[in-house]
Amino acid sequence: MVRDRTERDYRARVARAVAAIIGNPMAELHLDDLARLAHFSPFHFHRVYAGVVGETVTATLRRVRLALATRLLTSSDDSVTQVALTVGYDSPQAFTRAFHQFTGQSPRAFRQQMRRSILTVDGAVDSDDAATPTVKIVERPAQRLHVLRHVGSFATIPHTHRQLRLRAGTRAISEKWGASFGNPRYADRFRYYAAIASPDPWPEGSEVETLELPGGRYAVHRLVGPYTRINAAAQAIYTRWMPGSGYEPDDRPTLEHYLDTSSRGIAPAALRTDLFIPVRNASTS
């Protein structure tokens, strides 16, 4: 129990540093300043940070800046060179290499694919492009999962999934999920859980909880590609598909079904994720 409390304390303190990176990724962030935010000595901070987050401060900063680049490429008309400069790269060539490692695509290909993503119901496609994503409407039964609540910044969510897998030990994992409650724009009302389905029993009193996911109607989109595209794909469903679909969002958790229970050895471009957006028939006024 003492070890669990210490780990939660470390995660909460490191989350302050991660929040500072995410809050202003283009700021001049020094290791001493981040260590001070987390109340660690600079000498030990980089080791603690890497142990909690699973990567170095430099890697987090690079990843957050590239995530900013995905938003700029999706929502603005800035050239690739302008986006590269905005997120701190001196040349479009260096930016393109880093972006490809991050997403599995070049910046130009990423932008083109996201702008082609006019989503339609039940597999109908409004263009001749077979790569255009589609949305299906499904009825999903309720399901009980073993979950670990995420604490801290969104950037440490992969760490929560890793911790859940470690806690599973030798137990079988049949499915891997993520569940979001509320709007991530309002952190005080938002909850995220890393989740797995397992046929094996779990001991009582562990940090791993049992969560009953409600059944109901969902709009489902299969994303093939890196997990870094999940937010952009979900946003496209809400802003491009939802208004003309005859549906509206329902008050149930948004789900991510990671079809590859382990991503080890799988190229980012080949990862498969089903996004479940809860919907109901649109009300008429």
Side-chain angles (χ1 to χ4, degrees):
M1 294 297 293
V2 173
R3 178 180 177 180
D4 288 344
R5 286 197 299 270
T6 301
E7 181 181 330
R8 287 195 295 270
D9 177 64
Y10 272 35
R11 288 171 62 189
R13 290 160 65 184
V14 168
R16 298 174 199 153
V18 177
I21 294 172
I22 293 175
N24 191 0
M26 301 315 301
E28 289 288 337
L29 296 168
H30 300 287
L31 194 65
D32 287 2
D33 297 329
L34 295 173
R36 194 176 302 112
L37 277 174
H39 298 295
F40 287 109
S41 73
F43 181 78
H44 295 292
F45 174 67
H46 69 283
R47 294 186 180 89
V48 173
Y49 186 96
V52 169
V53 181
E55 64 184 7
T56 65
V57 172
T58 300
T60 297
L61 184 58
R62 182 187 307 116
R63 186 156 53 84
V64 171
R65 288 178 175 179
L66 289 169
L68 172 60
T70 66
R71 294 196 295 273
L72 293 174
L73 289 166
T74 303
S75 61
S76 79
D77 293 323
D78 291 348
S79 68
V80 170
T81 298
Q82 288 173 311
V83 172
L85 294 172
T86 298
V87 299
Y89 285 84
D90 294 332
S91 73
Q93 292 81 11
F95 170 64
T96 296
R97 286 194 298 272
F99 192 88
H100 191 280
Q101 291 176 345
F102 183 64
T103 66
Q105 293 178 294
S106 70
R108 188 164 284 104
F110 177 88
R111 167 176 273 171
Q112 290 172 347
Q113 183 166 20
M114 294 310 300
R115 290 187 173 180
R116 285 202 304 264
S117 298
I118 301 172
L119 307 173
T120 57
V121 175
D122 292 334
V125 180
D126 287 343
S127 75
D128 295 329
D129 187 351
T132 300
T134 59
V135 168
K136 296 189 299 182
I137 301 299
V138 303
E139 292 287 339
R140 185 178 182 281
Q143 184 178 13
R144 181 170 293 178
L145 298 173
H146 300 287
V147 303
L148 186 62
R149 183 170 179 176
H150 173 67
V151 178
S153 166
F154 297 154
T156 59
I157 283 177
H159 172 72
T160 302
H161 280 281
R162 287 193 293 271
Q163 290 301 309
L164 180 58
R165 181 176 288 276
L166 287 174
R167 284 164 171 75
T170 59
R171 296 177 181 87
I173 298 176
S174 54
E175 295 179 350
K176 178 182 173 184
W177 292 82
S180 300
F181 293 76
N183 190 329
R185 292 185 178 181
Y186 305 100
D188 59 331
R189 288 178 282 171
F190 179 75
R191 290 177 292 144
Y192 180 90
Y193 294 89
I196 57 176
S198 173
D200 296 336
W202 289 65
E204 295 184 5
S206 69
E207 194 178 356
V208 177
E209 306 172 54
T210 299
L211 183 66
E212 185 84 20
L213 294 181
R217 184 175 296 174
Y218 287 84
V220 182
H221 167 57
R222 176 161 296 180
L223 172 66
V224 179
Y227 297 144
T228 51
R229 290 177 52 203
I230 287 176
N231 287 341
Q235 184 68 13
I237 294 172
Y238 279 111
T239 60
R240 300 183 185 181
W241 172 78
M242 191 77 72
S245 69
Y247 295 98
E248 63 186 23
D250 197 15
D251 297 327
R252 285 174 283 132
T254 299
L255 307 176
E256 302 158 9
H257 185 194
Y258 301 99
L259 300 177
D260 307 293
T261 55
S262 175
S263 59
R264 185 174 300 172
I266 301 176
L271 292 169
R272 300 167 302 147
T273 309
D274 280 348
L275 305 180
F276 285 75
I277 310 295
V279 296
R280 62 192 177 206
N281 291 332
S283 58
T284 56
S285 55

